[in-house]
Amino acid sequence: MLAVLGFLTLGTFMVLVMRKYATAFVAIIAAPVLFAIVAGRGADLGDMAVDGIETVAPTAVLLLFAVLYFGVMMDAKLFDPVCHGIIRLSKGDPVRICVGTAVLSLLVALDGDGTTSYMIICSAFLPIYRRIGMNPLVIAAIATMSLGAISGSTPWGGAATRAISVLHLDAATYFVPLIPTLLLTSALIVVIAYFLGRGQRKRIDENVLADVAAELAGQERDRSALRNWRLWVNAGLTVLLLVLLVAGVAPLVTLFMAGFVIALLVNHPRLAEQGEVVKRHAASAVPVVMLVLGAGIFTGILSETGMVDAMAKALLGGVPDGLGNLIPLFTALIGLPLSFFMSNDAYFFGVLPVLAESASHYGIAPYEIARAGVAGQMLHSIGPASAPLWVLLGLVKKDLGEFQRFALLRVTVASLGMIVFTVATGAITLT
């Protein structure tokens, strides 16, 4: 009975979200509350909800300050000198331009917000793509791969935040083993960008490339940004933050809270400015923080009522003996098509908890399921459920079908490569 109610809860949540009958925040609370009452546990709803919220509170705080921190860095135009330098170094060569697009895309994807990342990349590179005559679908493919790999996997990105919150994980313990995978995946994206650039070079008139190279060579280098002392402080602070994160010297919540305070004092010393910055970037942070708290209520009710355990036992009946150790790999592989077609809310809040509970019966830690679960984020970034994609398509003036025909094979290769790297680096295991 509990298993049936659990699957009905997940199904109701997915229908509400995917059919757009309710927002994810409303659906993620309403569905478990409804079926908890049906299960006769209505009197315990308050305690179960509070227990769930307590488990995700650190993740919610981390997400809040990470979004605010990177928002301040974007306002300060931290990556502008990198962008201008990449364009100058490209010398009008499509191969260098594509590689430079990948490098900048991977960097700005650290912000965690897809719309912001796409706007930065397109504003920086679309003019030179159009001047040379390069296919704007190239910049779209590279940008979506970068966002899916980096923003989809970092603890302050939307997808990983959902996985961490719904499985009640420590953000640093989840993320640090995944760093080698992200470095290798980033290198793979750069390689794919290189071959995209070679393809573009073959179809463009050499005289056009020569003219653009001459224009770039004749431009004076703008050093005004480099003379801004705040730029160097911001860069140093960001590098230090990432080093401390990897070293594990303090919880991520503490690191980003301290980093945000320092960044705010450095870039906006006036009290009035500080208030405006917080208000401006709260619009990006608050909705996702609400979702994390909602996820706590969702998993708290499902766990305390016994629904998750019952669903996991029902699924385990279909797993052949001796193959339970492959659940993390199965999670990663099935996550590719599911992430493409489903919203992140439906996948991470509906599917992942059941897989994690099933894996626990074989002694597999939920951290591995979370790392496997984000492997499909590059495909999600080109799927119809990805809201920022529609902004990107508007910027490059292409329709969804045309873009997917161009990008699908390349993004699938990158996604499979990420799964291989995840296994090879030990982020997920097969034993």
Side-chain angles (χ1 to χ4, degrees):
M1 179 63 177
L2 282 176
V4 172
L5 291 176
F7 285 118
L8 286 174
T9 301
L10 299 184
T12 301
F13 167 72
M14 291 182 185
V15 169
L16 289 174
V17 171
M18 297 179 74
R19 300 290 295 178
K20 298 184 178 179
Y21 293 139
T23 63
F25 179 72
V26 171
I28 204 170
I29 294 176
V33 167
L34 172 63
F35 287 99
I37 293 173
V38 172
R41 297 292 300 275
D44 302 322
L45 280 173
D47 292 336
M48 291 189 290
V50 170
D51 289 342
I53 290 174
E54 287 177 351
T55 62
V56 301
T59 299
V61 177
L62 163 65
L63 177 64
L64 173 65
F65 284 98
V67 171
L68 292 174
Y69 176 83
F70 282 108
V72 171
M73 291 298 109
M74 291 300 172
D75 287 347
K77 302 185 184 302
L78 175 63
F79 298 109
D80 275 15
V82 177
C83 173
H84 298 319
I86 288 172
I87 292 177
R88 286 182 59 84
L89 289 173
S90 71
K91 299 180 180 179
D93 178 12
V95 174
R96 295 186 180 186
I97 290 172
C98 287
V99 170
T101 302
V103 172
L104 186 62
S105 296
L106 291 164
L107 288 174
V108 299
L110 287 168
D111 171 60
D113 179 70
T115 300
T116 301
S117 298
Y118 291 154
M119 291 180 70
I120 292 172
I121 296 301
C122 288
S123 64
F125 281 98
L126 263 182
I128 194 168
Y129 272 66
R130 288 171 175 156
R131 172 68 180 85
I132 295 176
M134 294 173 64
N135 187 349
L137 290 176
V138 172
I139 194 172
I142 294 172
T144 50
M145 281 189 288
S146 301
L147 184 77
I150 302 301
S151 179
S153 302
T154 51
W156 53 88
T161 297
R162 288 167 170 83
I164 291 169
S165 60
V166 80
L167 299 182
H168 307 158
L169 308 179
D170 175 72
T173 305
Y174 152 82
F175 183 57
V176 173
L178 201 57
I179 292 175
T181 295
L182 292 182
L183 293 175
L184 291 171
T185 303
S186 298
L188 177 60
I189 292 172
V190 171
V191 170
I192 293 173
Y194 169 81
F195 283 105
L196 284 170
R198 289 190 59 171
Q200 293 298 299
R201 182 198 279 166
K202 293 177 182 177
R203 57 180 290 273
I204 298 174
D205 189 332
E206 292 184 1
N207 293 325
V208 173
L209 297 180
D211 291 343
V212 173
E215 290 176 14
L216 291 174
Q219 291 179 356
E220 294 185 6
R221 186 175 181 182
D222 183 6
R223 296 181 177 273
S224 59
L226 298 178
R227 290 193 292 268
N228 182 355
W229 64 269
R230 286 190 174 90
L231 173 70
W232 295 102
V233 174
N234 289 332
L237 179 61
T238 302
V239 171
L240 177 63
L241 191 61
L242 295 176
V243 170
L244 294 177
L245 182 156
V246 175
V249 299
L252 290 185
V253 174
T254 305
L255 291 176
F256 273 104
M257 190 179 294
F260 172 66
V261 170
I262 296 171
L264 202 59
L265 291 172
V266 169
N267 295 279
H268 304 281
R270 296 180 181 176
L271 182 62
E273 289 182 10
Q274 294 174 4
E276 287 300 317
V277 168
V278 172
K279 289 180 183 178
R280 184 165 63 250
H281 294 294
S284 299
V286 169
V288 188
V289 172
M290 289 171 61
L291 265 181
V292 170
L293 296 175
I297 296 174
F298 182 86
T299 55
I301 293 174
L302 263 65
S303 298
E304 294 299 320
T305 56
M307 292 183 192
V308 170
D309 189 54
M311 286 187 290
K313 289 179 180 177
L315 288 178
L316 283 174
V319 178
D321 293 338
L323 295 182
N325 60 304
L326 297 181
I327 290 179
L329 180 60
F330 171 77
T331 299
L333 292 173
I334 198 176
L336 300 186
L338 291 181
S339 295
F340 180 83
F341 289 108
M342 295 174 68
S343 70
N344 276 339
D345 297 318
Y347 176 65
F348 284 101
F349 295 144
V351 177
L352 209 65
V354 179
L355 292 171
E357 184 63 25
S358 300
S360 69
H361 290 271
Y362 291 91
I364 299 170
Y367 289 97
E368 294 197 26
I369 301 301
R371 295 174 198 136
V374 301
Q377 282 303 292
M378 281 186 276
L379 275 168
H380 174 77
S381 68
I382 69 168
S386 174
L389 176 61
W390 300 102
V391 176
L392 176 62
L393 294 176
L395 292 171
V396 300
K397 294 180 171 57
K398 297 291 182 179
D399 61 55
L400 179 64
E402 186 179 6
F403 168 66
Q404 289 182 340
R405 285 192 296 273
F406 179 86
L408 183 59
L409 178 60
R410 296 174 174 91
V411 177
T412 301
V413 169
S415 299
L416 291 172
M418 183 172 182
I419 293 175
V420 171
F421 299 145
T422 305
V423 174
T425 59
I428 64 173
T429 59
L430 305 182
T431 58

